[in-house]
Amino acid sequence: MASAKSVTSVDVARKAGVSQSAVSRYFTPGASVSAKMAEKIRVAADELGYRPNVLARSLITGKSRIIGLVVYYLENSFYPEAVEKLSIALQENGYHVLLFMASNTVGDVEPVVQQILDYRVDGIIMVSVSVSSVLAERCRDLSIPVMLFNRDQKRDDLRSVTSENYRGGQMAAEIFLKSDHKKIAHLAGFDDAKTQIDREKGFVDALNAAGQSLHSRASGNYDYAEAVEAARTLFDVEDKPDALFVADDHMAFAAMDVIRHELGLRIPEDVAVIGFDDTQQSRWPSYNLTTIRQPLNQMVSAAVNELISAIEDPTTPIRSIKIEPVPQIRGTTRN
């Protein structure tokens, strides 16, 4: 058998008794050959030890079939799950994934994205990361579509997929109002993130519509340690809230740890707590957290479909897709 490095698609075609174009179609995601021909090609390729040269093909087709996936942080378990589902969905559609870590600030994201562009990617997915106007224009000039996942920006030239965050905030308020809470607080994430702004606005608007105002507020910046300090600020006071809406489950766990283990308060008897995301930990008995579930499977499907459509047809309209969240009532609120 010839060495794998020297085997070409022509060798495979000759051994299988098919055309070279048939071999090319067999190894091209989305292309089709008959089952009988596919089996011949598979057997011949296996016997010869042939694997297609993806990089060489990208030079010919102008498409690398690589997607750059940029993630801010993985401490919150919502994001590893999102990355896993995005990667699987892209691979099922014949794309390869390059994962890059970046800080949340735009200034730190730009050099990371420049590295991604050096790989001749076909598209970019930014998971909860913002994009500057300069960076967006650079990608547009290179005909590389960008998808924002779980992050939205006030621009009409960026694709995005989020849950309907304003409605999610309303849902959280409605749960508290139904249980007749009067001193309702909010533990926020990044104050300038549109997802945070929308969740908080929906929450406060629903409270105001019911004749209530926000009792108190602090920011935890989506970080466990900072959320611990924020929870202390909110609850280590004489006039404590009797309900707390937290901008994500990760910070809700921090707040619950402070409320229970530092201050000796009971959940939900003394303080009711609602999170946002519906991570796996929120279902664990130790937390059993009432939360607003982001429909992750639907969000992933929408993001991947929109991005691939934009790659295959650059005239595909740019859309911001918002998917309705779903309340998950568990043990941290009064039924």
Side-chain angles (χ1 to χ4, degrees), residues 192-253:
D192 59 350
K194 192 169 186 303
T195 48
Q196 163 61 41
I197 293 169
D198 290 346
R199 289 174 192 178
E200 183 171 2
K201 188 173 190 320
F203 184 67
V204 173
D205 284 354
L207 292 181
N208 293 343
Q212 291 206 40
S213 58
L214 197 64
H215 173 272
S216 50
R217 179 191 188 279
S219 296
N221 295 318
Y222 296 121
D223 179 81
Y224 184 93
E226 291 189 53
V228 165
E229 292 301 322
R232 289 170 179 157
T233 299
L234 290 171
F235 287 94
D236 196 9
V237 295
E238 184 174 346
D239 185 25
K240 295 177 175 60
D242 64 5
L244 176 67
F245 171 46
V246 190
D248 75 356
D249 291 353
H250 185 63
M251 293 193 299
F253 303 145

Side-chain angles (χ1 to χ4, degrees), residues 38-56:
E39 180 62 13
K40 288 182 179 180
I41 296 170
R42 184 190 66 78
V43 171
D46 286 348
E47 290 182 359
L48 293 173
Y50 171 77
R51 292 298 301 165
N53 188 324
V54 175
L55 295 178

Side-chain angles (χ1 to χ4, degrees), residues 9 22 30 40 100 111 143 202 215 225 233 244 252 280 285 294 296 319:
S9 59
K40 288 182 179 180
F100 293 81
S143 298
H215 173 272
T233 299
L244 176 67
Q280 292 183 5
Q294 296 211 73
L296 184 54
R319 299 196 296 165

Side-chain angles (χ1 to χ4, degrees), residues 64-86:
S64 65
R65 300 198 73 83
I66 295 174
I67 303 297
L69 192 58
V70 185
V71 185
Y72 159 51
Y73 73 149
L74 297 173
E75 183 181 354
N76 179 349
S77 64
F78 176 80
Y79 294 107
E81 187 175 359
V83 168
E84 178 184 6
K85 289 180 180 293
L86 284 166

Side-chain angles (χ1 to χ4, degrees), residues 11 76 100 116 132 152 282 305:
D11 298 320
N76 179 349
F100 293 81
I116 294 174
S132 71
D152 196 7
S282 69
N305 290 340

Side-chain angles (χ1 to χ4, degrees), residues 112-335:
V112 171
V113 174
Q114 185 55 56
Q115 292 178 44
I116 294 174
L117 297 179
D118 292 340
Y119 282 91
R120 302 168 63 95
V121 298
D122 289 344
I124 299 174
I125 299 179
M126 313 283 282
V127 181
S128 283
V129 178
S130 299
V131 182
S132 71
S133 57
V134 172
L135 188 56
E137 289 170 7
R138 188 182 308 159
C139 291
R140 188 166 56 249
D141 290 343
L142 294 171
S143 298
I144 297 175
V146 176
M147 168 63 68
L148 302 181
F149 185 87
N150 199 39
R151 178 65 62 91
D152 196 7
Q153 293 181 229
K154 296 178 180 179
R155 300 168 58 108
D156 58 7
D157 60 346
L158 288 172
R159 294 174 171 83
S160 65
V161 172
T162 66
S163 59
E164 181 55 78
N165 288 295
Y166 180 87
R167 179 64 188 126
Q170 287 181 314
M171 290 173 176
E174 289 164 2
I175 294 169
F176 285 149
L177 292 168
K178 184 178 179 180
S179 299
D180 202 32
H181 289 283
K182 301 300 182 185
K183 296 188 291 184
I184 303 173
H186 179 46
L187 203 169
F190 293 125
D191 287 337
D192 59 350
K194 192 169 186 303
T195 48
Q196 163 61 41
I197 293 169
D198 290 346
R199 289 174 192 178
E200 183 171 2
K201 188 173 190 320
F203 184 67
V204 173
D205 284 354
L207 292 181
N208 293 343
Q212 291 206 40
S213 58
L214 197 64
H215 173 272
S216 50
R217 179 191 188 279
S219 296
N221 295 318
Y222 296 121
D223 179 81
Y224 184 93
E226 291 189 53
V228 165
E229 292 301 322
R232 289 170 179 157
T233 299
L234 290 171
F235 287 94
D236 196 9
V237 295
E238 184 174 346
D239 185 25
K240 295 177 175 60
D242 64 5
L244 176 67
F245 171 46
V246 190
D248 75 356
D249 291 353
H250 185 63
M251 293 193 299
F253 303 145
M256 290 175 67
D257 289 343
V258 169
I259 291 167
R260 283 174 169 164
H261 303 302
E262 290 190 18
L263 303 178
L265 300 174
R266 299 168 300 163
I267 300 174
E269 293 84 359
D270 299 319
V271 183
V273 179
I274 297 176
F276 205 109
D277 281 342
D278 193 28
T279 59
Q280 292 183 5
Q281 289 95 319
S282 69
R283 304 160 211 164
W284 293 356
S286 56
Y287 289 112
N288 195 26
L289 175 65
T290 293
T291 187
I292 308 301
R293 180 171 65 85
Q294 296 211 73
L296 184 54
N297 288 337
Q298 291 174 258
M299 292 169 65
V300 166
S301 179
V304 170
N305 290 340
E306 287 289 307
L307 184 66
I308 291 176
S309 294
I311 292 170
E312 295 178 348
D313 180 5
T315 65
T316 300
I318 294 174
R319 299 196 296 165
S320 291
I321 299 174
K322 301 182 187 299
I323 301 176
E324 184 86 356
V326 183
Q328 301 294 305
I329 306 300
R330 299 195 180 98
T332 59
T333 51
R334 304 171 194 165
N335 297 326

